[in-house]
Amino acid sequence: MFSPNCGNDENSCVLGIETSCDDTAAAVLVDGVLRSSIISSQSEHIPFGGVVPELASRAHDRHLVPVVEAALHEAGIQAGDLTGIAVTRGPGLIGSLMVGVSFAKSLAAGLGVPLVGVHHLDGHIDSLLLGGTPPERPTLVLVVSGGHTQLMTVNASGERQLLGKTRDDAAGEAFDKVAAILGLDYPGGPVIDRLAMTGNPSFHAFPRTRLAGYDWSFSGIKTSMLYHLGSMDAPARAAYLEKHLQDLCASFQEAVVDMLITPVVRAMKQTGFRSVGLVGGVSANSRLRARLGSEVEARGGHLHVPELSYSMDNAAMIALSGCLRLTRGEQDPLSITAQPSLPMDLRP
Ligand SMILES: Nc1ncnc2c1ncn2[C@@H]1O[C@H](COP(=O)(O)OP(=O)(O)OP(=O)(O)O)[C@@H](O)[C@H]1O
Ligand SMILES: [Mg+2]
C-alpha cells in the first residue's frame, strides 16, 4: 500500500480507530506505511433517511472488535506488535465516539502503549497525505462533509487557520436533505451525483447564496427545492419527478458546486496560495472535483484530492494523524473522553 509520509518513524505500528458517525473503521500503519484499512458501513439507517444515533452506537459496539481483528489480520500483525493507538475523539455522535474511545483506552492500557485522541477534521485534512504527492504548503483546504463545510489554510509547519465556514447546514447535509425531499436513499450525496450525470444542470436556476468573505449558507437551497416541489399536487409532482429527477439533481448539484467554489477562488486571489486540497465525504462528488480542479488549474494552481476510499470516513486518516502526533513525541492521557463538539486545535 502507500507510504503516507509519516516522518521517519521506524519500528512503529499504529492502530487507528474511527467511530464518529455511522462507519466502524480500523486501519494499521507499520513504519509509516498503510498496511490495512477496513470500513464497515451501517445500513441500519437507510429506512430512516438519516443516522439514528442509538442504532449507530449499538452497531459500533457489535462491529468494532471484528473490524479491528480484520485490520490486524490484513496488516499481518498481532495486537502485541502495536506501539500506539489513535482514535477519533470528536466531533461526532457521543454514543458512537464513546464506543471507539473506550475501546481504544482499554487496548492502550492493556498493551501499555501510548494513546492519541484525534480530531476527526484533522484526519480528513491529513487524508491528503494518503497516497499520491503530498500538497505543497501553504495549502488552502476545503473541508466539505456531512457535518462540516470549512475553508482553512495549512502553513509550512502544519498550523491551521480557519478562513470561513457554513453558517447553517453543511454541504453534505444539504445533499442528504434534498435527496430526502426527492424521495432518494440516504446518504443522498452519492445518489444525486450519479443521477446528475444524465441531467441538465441548467434545467432549473436554484438560488446561489453568496456571502462576503469565506462563509457559506446552504439552508436556502434546500428550502428552494421544497417550495419548487411544494407548489404541485401529489400526482403532478410524481409525474414531474418521473420526467425531471435527473435534471433537478444536476441543477441542485451545480448550484452547490458554484457556491462551494466561489470562496476558494476568492481565497486563492487574496492569499496567493496555489496549492488547494479538497477533503471530506463531499470531496467524492465528481462535479465538484472536476469543476474545482479546472478553476484551480486556470489560476496556475493544483488541486489535491484523496483517493475515493479515503474521502469518506475511514480509519487510515486517523491512524496517520495519530502517527504524526506520536512521531512528534505527543500522546494523551488515558483519562481523555469522547467530545461530541471538540474544537479544533489549530497547532500542528
Ligand atoms: N459523491 C458525493 N457527492 C456529494 N456528496 C457526497 C458524495 N459522497 C458522499 N457524500 C456526502 O458526504 C457526507 C458524508 O461524509 P463524511 O463521512 O465525511 O461525513 P461525516 O463524517 O458524517 O461528517 P463530518 O466529517 O463532518 O463529521 C454525506 O453527507 C454524503 O451525502
Ligand atoms: Mg467525516
Side-chain angles (χ1 to χ4, degrees):
M1 294 183 96
F2 318 107
S3 182
N5 197 13
C6 181
N8 297 321
D9 194 23
E10 297 216 343
N11 304 318
S12 79
C13 189
V14 177
L15 172 70
I17 294 171
E18 156 64 37
T19 63
S20 67
C21 191
D22 58 340
D23 293 300
T24 315
V28 174
L29 275 179
V30 178
D31 298 338
V33 177
L34 184 64
R35 287 273 197 88
S36 64
S37 176
I38 307 288
I39 304 174
S40 167
S41 296
Q42 302 173 1
S43 55
E44 295 68 353
H45 310 285
I46 293 173
F48 299 95
V51 178
V52 182
E54 175 73 17
L55 293 182
S57 37
R58 284 170 188 262
H60 286 306
D61 201 24
R62 283 196 306 278
H63 298 152
L64 186 52
V65 167
V67 164
V68 167
E69 282 175 348
L72 297 177
H73 179 76
E74 193 173 304
I77 63 153
Q78 311 280 328
D81 298 325
L82 292 170
T83 60
I85 314 284
V87 63
T88 304
R89 189 183 175 196
L93 299 171
I94 181 65
S96 292
L97 289 166
M98 281 172 69
V99 176
V101 171
S102 303
F103 179 88
K105 290 200 293 189
S106 309
L107 192 58
L111 295 173
V113 298
L115 171 77
V116 270
V118 174
H119 192 287
H120 183 76
L121 293 192
D122 274 331
H124 276 304
I125 293 171
D126 289 333
S127 71
L128 290 169
L129 307 176
L130 285 164
T133 321
E136 275 176 29
R137 288 176 174 170
T139 320
L140 278 171
V141 182
L142 175 61
V143 182
V144 63
S145 61
H148 296 84
T149 301
Q150 299 189 346
L151 186 60
M152 323 211 39
T153 56
V154 180
N155 74 9
S157 51
E159 279 166 12
R160 282 106 205 247
Q161 190 187 350
L162 182 67
L163 293 184
K165 61 186 171 69
T166 180
R167 294 188 187 173
D168 41 53
D169 293 348
E173 196 179 350
F175 270 99
D176 296 336
K177 286 179 174 170
V178 162
I181 294 169
L182 294 172
L184 303 172
D185 278 348
Y186 174 86
V191 186
I192 290 180
D193 191 357
R194 183 172 43 78
L195 290 169
M197 284 173 189
T198 51
N200 173 9
S202 309
F203 172 74
H204 182 77
F206 285 104
R208 274 78 166 151
T209 307
R210 297 195 198 276
L211 305 174
Y214 305 111
D215 281 357
W216 290 271
S217 166
F218 291 103
S219 60
I221 192 164
K222 169 195 65 189
T223 313
S224 173
M225 179 69 87
L226 261 180
Y227 284 168
H228 184 61
L229 295 174
S231 59
M232 303 169 205
D233 62 25
R237 180 181 159 137
Y240 181 71
L241 285 179
E242 171 81 26
K243 197 165 170 206
H244 290 300
L245 180 62
Q246 285 87 344
D247 297 327
L248 282 177
C249 288
S251 301
F252 161 76
Q253 177 175 272
E254 201 67 8
V256 173
V257 169
D258 277 348
M259 284 191 273
L260 283 171
I261 286 176
T262 305
V264 181
V265 168
R266 189 175 291 148
M268 283 185 80
K269 276 191 201 141
Q270 290 184 357
T271 61
F273 295 180
R274 290 292 166 266
S275 171
V276 180
L278 171 65
V279 300
V282 182
S283 74
N285 186 265
S286 58
R287 188 72 176 154
L288 178 60
R289 284 180 176 226
R291 287 212 33 224
L292 185 58
S294 311
E295 295 284 348
V296 170
E297 273 169 33
R299 286 161 183 80
H302 187 67
L303 180 69
H304 299 263
V305 192
E307 281 198 23
L308 276 182
S309 49
Y310 305 120
S311 293
M312 305 297 286
D313 288 349
N314 66 87
M317 66 186 194
I318 303 302
L320 177 53
S321 259
C323 182
L324 291 168
R325 283 193 53 204
L326 288 166
T327 305
R328 290 196 294 267
E330 296 172 28
Q331 72 179 81
D332 289 313
L334 288 175
S335 56
I336 60 165
T337 53
Q339 297 287 325
S341 314
L342 186 66
M344 201 165 180
D345 182 353
L346 299 172
R347 291 166 308 166

